[in-house]
Amino acid sequence: FFFSSRRRHTRLLTVTGVQTCALPISKALDTFQFVSEIILGSDFLRPMLKGKPRLANGQEVINFQSGGQYRIAAATRDSTRGFSADLLYVDELREITPDAWTAARPVTRAKPNAQTWTTSNAGDAFSTVLLDLRNRALEHPSETFGWYEWSAPERCKIWDRKAWLYANPAVGHRSEEHTSELQSQSTI
């Protein structure tokens, strides 16, 4: 199950398949274990399970009584082939290669209203998939493609403390301003 907010209508949707991809695979495993703990700790979600989550190396899957599954895969050229899902979640998009992205995209094609969600930090010059998607979203906005990011205003000064807040939503929650200052010093 997940909540969809589309055109100001929020509703609970039944998901028959969720696929998470990440490089390194340890990132996908971290997310999988976190989701498993949430489900097992929830009086609402736990009864929906069909058995216990399978945590065996390379065969991680959570099965639901509805027939739905949540599984993970390494973001490689062929790890997602043969699967279909209502939701494809790609973590650490900055690390995804064009071959892995091309292989993962068909996972959602067979499902009506399927969605692909990605998360990442800013990446670098080698983050070609991330940079391509960002450029496409900013240069050619689409009703079916949303791009949301935390980033400092263009051409801001590296020492601009207000700009740090734009780029670091965790300041005051999980990180402190002095951490941003130290990062700024290390980039000079």
Side-chain angles (χ1 to χ4, degrees), residues 69-85:
Q69 287 188 329
Y70 171 51
R71 61 175 58 244
I72 62 169
T76 61
R77 209 169 54 84
D78 59 359
S79 66
T80 58
R81 295 200 190 276
F83 293 106
S84 63

Side-chain angles (χ1 to χ4, degrees), residues 4-188:
S4 172
S5 180
R6 191 174 196 174
R7 299 188 190 243
R8 290 176 265 157
H9 299 290
T10 302
R11 56 196 165 127
L12 186 65
L13 302 173
T14 303
V15 176
T16 56
V18 176
Q19 178 90 34
T20 298
C21 301
L23 276 179
I25 189 66
S26 62
K27 295 291 184 185
L29 282 167
D30 289 346
T31 301
F32 182 86
Q33 289 172 344
F34 181 69
V35 169
S36 295
E37 290 170 11
I38 289 172
I39 293 171
L40 291 172
S42 168
D43 292 335
F44 175 73
L45 296 173
R46 193 177 337 93
M48 296 179 194
L49 289 176
K50 182 178 180 182
K52 291 185 177 181
R54 184 172 174 86
L55 303 171
N57 191 16
Q59 298 177 15
E60 294 80 7
V61 66
I62 299 172
N63 291 302
F64 295 91
Q65 293 179 20
S66 66
Q69 287 188 329
Y70 171 51
R71 61 175 58 244
I72 62 169
T76 61
R77 209 169 54 84
D78 59 359
S79 66
T80 58
R81 295 200 190 276
F83 293 106
S84 63
D86 295 290
L87 175 64
L88 171 64
Y89 171 58
V90 181
D91 194 15
E92 304 294 352
L93 185 62
R94 70 174 193 274
E95 299 295 330
I96 303 302
T97 65
D99 284 345
W101 180 251
T102 300
R105 294 292 292 138
V107 166
T108 58
R109 288 196 184 134
K111 301 285 187 165
N113 301 313
Q115 297 181 10
T116 299
W117 296 351
T118 65
T119 54
S120 187
N121 70 12
D124 56 29
F126 298 103
S127 305
T128 56
V129 174
L130 171 68
L131 296 173
D132 178 55
L133 289 173
R134 182 180 188 274
N135 289 339
R136 206 174 331 158
L138 298 178
E139 293 172 10
H140 307 288
S142 163
E143 286 189 22
T144 61
F145 180 43
W147 185 265
Y148 308 94
E149 68 180 40
W150 281 273
S151 59
E154 287 190 40
R155 295 176 184 76
C156 67
K157 301 290 185 201
I158 197 167
W159 295 105
D160 183 345
R161 290 180 181 269
K162 287 184 181 178
W164 297 348
L165 300 177
Y166 283 104
N168 296 292
V171 170
H173 302 282
R174 291 186 57 192
S175 76
E176 297 302 323
E177 205 170 292
H178 72 274
T179 304
S180 296
E181 185 174 359
L182 293 173
Q183 290 171 340
S184 297
Q185 290 172 355
S186 69
T187 61
I188 295 175

